[in-house]
Amino acid sequence: MSKPINLDALFKQARQKEPYYGGKDFVSRVAVDIGRQKKLSKTKEAIIIGSAAVIGATITYAYFPLEMIMQQVPTSFVINPMTVLMAAGITSISCGFAYWLAEDKSL
Amino acid sequence: MISATDQALIKRVQTLQCQDSFSVLVERHQSDLRYSLRQMTNWDEGLADDLSQETFLKAYQSIKTFRGSAKFSSWLYRIAYNLMISHFRVARNREETGVEVLTDIPASQMRTETSQQDLHRDLARAMKVLPATQRMALHLNLHRELTHSEISDIMEIPLGTVKTAINRGKITLRQNLAGWNSEEIR
């Protein structure tokens, strides 16, 4: 009668002799799979955004009070010295702010 | 990044979706998983690698659900086990020659081949006659040296079922390997 096999010893032997599988190819295959998956979800995202844009545009076209707004747009402008001064002031402040933003390294 | 812990890498993947960190995790765990799946699939290298690849892809997709209460490797095994079970279910439904529907290998055939074949392949062949639950539980317990409780978490089955599966698996495996001289194994 044959001796019963010692499973613990057998598995220990298998554990000690377990081969190591080089992972470079495998890792790149997984990375490609993940990339493909991401691309798919980006396409899905684009479709959702596109559909939302179409729906939004349709609703806007139907309900947006364009004519009312157009009627309120002044057809003539009166430029007096105060207007010129105000425009110059706003331009100076904007330019100063833009310069400060560009120079500030902490931003 | 190579020396970072699993936990740190997982955090980076969860918060920054950092694919490089995930690649390090894949590199670190792929060999163990691929070997385990070879053992589970009668050393079908193609199937084992496909399942491993799918496991990592699923892991990446659902990494936000990983809470860190278990080891990352245990979580991977859980995903792999579920994928393997559904693969075999589909294969059986299609009446393909799945591992689950294979019958016992004649003992004589096994004995003559043990001296010629690699230990790991032989073990996989001997394991294939076991039901998937027993096979997985036995492998995780005897090869990966996981506790019954860890196996219960991975396989999502009660602790008692794990113990029964391991005991029954051992009995069947001993019967299948009766007369198998372990010294013959290379």
Side-chain angles (χ1 to χ4, degrees):
Chain A
M1 198 180 137
S2 56
K3 235 170 59 179
I5 196 139
N6 183 346
L7 288 180
D8 289 320
L10 182 67
F11 275 91
K12 188 180 173 190
Q13 199 179 341
R15 195 163 50 245
Q16 285 166 347
K17 289 184 178 176
E18 181 177 331
Y20 178 81
Y21 298 104
K24 274 200 178 145
D25 282 352
F26 184 82
V27 173
S28 47
R29 277 209 305 273
V30 172
V32 167
D33 263 5
I34 290 172
R36 203 178 291 147
Q37 201 72 25
K38 272 187 176 172
K39 213 179 260 176
L40 261 178
S41 53
K42 269 191 183 163
T43 314
K44 216 190 265 176
E45 195 184 310
I47 290 169
I48 292 168
I49 292 172
S51 312
V54 169
I55 294 167
T58 312
I59 292 170
T60 305
Y61 185 75
Y63 296 102
F64 194 70
L66 185 69
E67 271 182 36
M68 205 179 83
I69 290 169
M70 288 306 281
Q71 276 170 5
Q72 284 178 358
V73 172
T75 47
S76 61
F77 292 98
V78 180
I79 299 174
N80 53 35
M82 270 310 279
T83 315
V84 175
L85 272 175
M86 225 160 74
I90 290 168
T91 310
S92 301
I93 289 167
S94 307
C95 289
F97 186 64
Y99 178 74
W100 177 74
L101 277 180
E103 288 296 305
D104 193 353
K105 296 252 187 306
S106 66
L107 289 172
Chain B
M1 190 142 66
I2 301 288
S3 58
T5 60
D6 278 5
Q7 211 57 44
L9 291 167
I10 291 162
K11 194 110 198 144
R12 281 181 67 84
V13 183
Q14 284 175 330
T15 52
L16 307 167
Q17 290 181 320
C18 176
Q19 210 176 313
D20 288 342
S21 301
F22 191 74
S23 291
V24 177
L25 286 167
V26 176
E27 175 94 53
R28 200 174 279 176
H29 294 279
Q30 54 88 26
S31 185
D32 281 0
L33 187 70
R34 286 163 78 190
Y35 176 82
S36 290
L37 283 167
R38 275 164 170 73
Q39 284 291 350
M40 297 296 103
T41 57
N42 185 27
W43 212 263
D44 185 336
E45 296 187 12
L47 175 60
D49 280 358
D50 284 351
L51 287 172
S52 306
Q53 210 169 317
E54 220 176 311
T55 301
F56 282 111
L57 188 63
K58 258 214 151 69
Y60 183 81
Q61 286 165 346
S62 51
I63 199 146
K64 286 200 171 156
T65 63
F66 179 72
R67 294 274 162 261
S69 52
K71 283 188 283 184
F72 182 66
S73 57
S74 300
W75 188 62
L76 282 179
Y77 279 120
R78 182 188 292 181
I79 297 172
Y81 175 69
N82 289 331
L83 283 173
M84 188 182 80
I85 293 291
S86 40
H87 169 83
F88 288 149
R89 196 174 295 141
V90 171
R92 197 162 38 184
N93 287 346
R94 284 182 190 159
E95 293 182 349
E96 285 176 1
T97 324
V99 175
E100 294 291 70
V101 292
L102 290 173
T103 51
D104 288 45
I105 326 146
S108 55
Q109 189 190 342
M110 176 114 68
R111 265 176 239 142
T112 53
E113 288 180 5
T114 48
S115 55
Q116 296 156 10
Q117 289 198 354
D118 187 49
L119 159 71
H120 307 288
R121 286 168 194 267
D122 289 342
L123 205 51
R125 288 196 70 178
M127 297 266 278
K128 83 172 179 185
V129 294
L130 303 175
T133 318
Q134 289 180 20
R135 206 183 316 151
M136 188 72 172
L138 211 58
H139 173 77
L140 293 176
N141 184 240
L142 293 177
H143 193 92
R144 294 279 169 238
E145 296 183 297
L146 299 184
T147 63
H148 290 171
S149 154
E150 283 174 311
I151 297 167
S152 160
D153 284 343
I154 289 171
M155 297 174 67
E156 295 173 311
I157 53 174
L159 200 61
T161 313
V162 172
K163 288 177 185 170
T164 311
I166 290 172
N167 286 335
R168 284 189 186 157
K170 276 181 177 175
I171 293 166
T172 316
L173 202 58
R174 270 199 200 101
Q175 284 168 356
N176 284 326
L177 294 171
W180 202 37
N181 185 357
S182 57
E183 282 164 16
E184 281 178 5
I185 306 160
R186 276 176 289 163

